[in-house]
Amino acid sequence: MSVRTAGGASRADLVADTALALLAERGMRGLTHRAVDEAAGLPQGSTSNLARTRQALLELAVRRLADREARVLALDEMPDPRGGLDALADGLALATHRALTHHRELTLARYELALEATRRPELRTYFDATGARFRDRLSALVTALGSPTPDRHVLSLVAWADGLMLSCVAGSFSTRPPSLEEVRAGLRELLNGMLGGADARD
C-alpha cells in the first residue's frame, strides 16, 4: 500500500492519509494504530501520540477526508448560477466523475466511515458537520436557480450522487464506471426535472 501526501505534509496528515488508505484497502477492522504506524513507516507509537483512542483516530481521518474531498469536489470552482442548469450539471458531473475514477480509494474510505458513524453517535455528529460545506454550497446554487424547496432538492442531488458512487465503487456497476458524459446526462435529467421550470422563467 502506498500513501501519497502533498509535499511538506504534517505527520498528522500522513497518519490521517494512511488511515484513509487502510480503510479503503482493509475496511474498518484493518484500521489500528499499529497498522497505521507500519503502513506509514513511522516508529511504533507515533499514531497513538497523535490520536490516543480509536475515536480520536477516526475523527482525524474524518477531518482529513473533508479537506481532501473539498479539493476533489472543487467547491470554489462550482459554476455561477447565472450559467443555468447546464453549467451546474457540468460542474457537478466533473466532481462526481473525479470521485468515481481518480479518487475511488477516498470514496471507499468515506463509505467505511459513514457506516461506522451509524454505530458511533459521537462520530456521526462530527461526520455530518464536515459535510455541511458541500451541502450549504449546493443549497445556495439551487436556491439561486429558483428552487422553491432547496433542502429537498439538495437531498435529491446528494442521494443521486451517493447512490451512483456506491454502485460504481462497491456495487454491481463497479466493473464499469460511467463516463463523464453519462454522469452529466444523468444530472441534466435530474436537474431539469427539479428546476427546469424555474430556470425557464428566469
Side-chain angles (χ1 to χ4, degrees):
M1 179 187 68
S2 62
V3 178
R4 292 177 292 178
T5 56
S10 68
R11 177 165 290 195
D13 286 345
L14 174 60
V15 166
D17 285 335
T18 304
L20 292 171
L22 284 169
L23 285 169
E25 181 183 325
R26 305 178 191 178
M28 193 59 64
R29 290 185 179 181
L31 178 63
T32 65
H33 288 75
R34 181 185 294 273
V36 173
D37 286 341
E38 292 175 354
L42 294 171
Q44 187 174 340
S46 297
T47 299
S48 292
N49 287 336
L50 282 168
R52 291 208 169 272
T53 65
R54 184 169 181 81
Q55 177 67 23
L57 180 57
L58 291 171
E59 288 180 3
L60 187 69
V62 169
R63 281 200 303 271
R64 184 63 168 166
L65 175 72
D67 290 340
R68 290 179 58 184
E69 283 200 321
R71 293 196 292 272
V72 173
L73 297 174
L75 298 182
D76 293 338
E77 298 174 14
M78 282 290 123
D80 189 312
R82 288 173 293 185
L85 296 185
D86 283 347
L88 180 57
D90 289 347
L92 291 175
L94 283 170
T96 304
H97 192 257
R98 278 198 297 265
L100 283 174
T101 53
H102 303 302
H103 300 277
R104 182 177 180 275
E105 179 184 89
L106 194 64
T107 303
L108 281 170
R110 178 159 69 89
Y111 287 123
E112 288 285 346
L113 287 166
L115 287 170
E116 186 66 11
T118 66
R119 308 175 190 103
R120 292 175 178 260
E122 66 278 18
L123 186 63
R124 167 57 57 193
T125 300
Y126 201 82
F127 186 88
D128 289 348
T130 62
R133 285 182 290 180
F134 180 69
R135 294 193 302 273
D136 291 347
R137 177 63 175 143
L138 191 54
S139 180
L141 286 170
V142 298
T143 298
L145 285 167
S147 170
T149 54
D151 288 345
R152 182 169 62 83
H153 285 155
V154 167
L155 173 60
S156 294
L157 284 166
V158 171
W160 183 91
D162 266 340
L164 178 72
M165 288 189 288
L166 181 61
S167 294
C168 294
V169 302
S172 57
F173 291 90
S174 60
T175 57
R176 184 195 171 274
S179 67
L180 175 59
E181 186 50 47
E182 287 171 327
V183 176
R184 184 184 289 117
L187 278 164
R188 281 176 175 162
E189 290 168 352
L190 180 61
L191 286 166
N192 280 325
M194 292 192 304
L195 300 170
D199 189 55
R201 290 193 298 270
D202 293 339

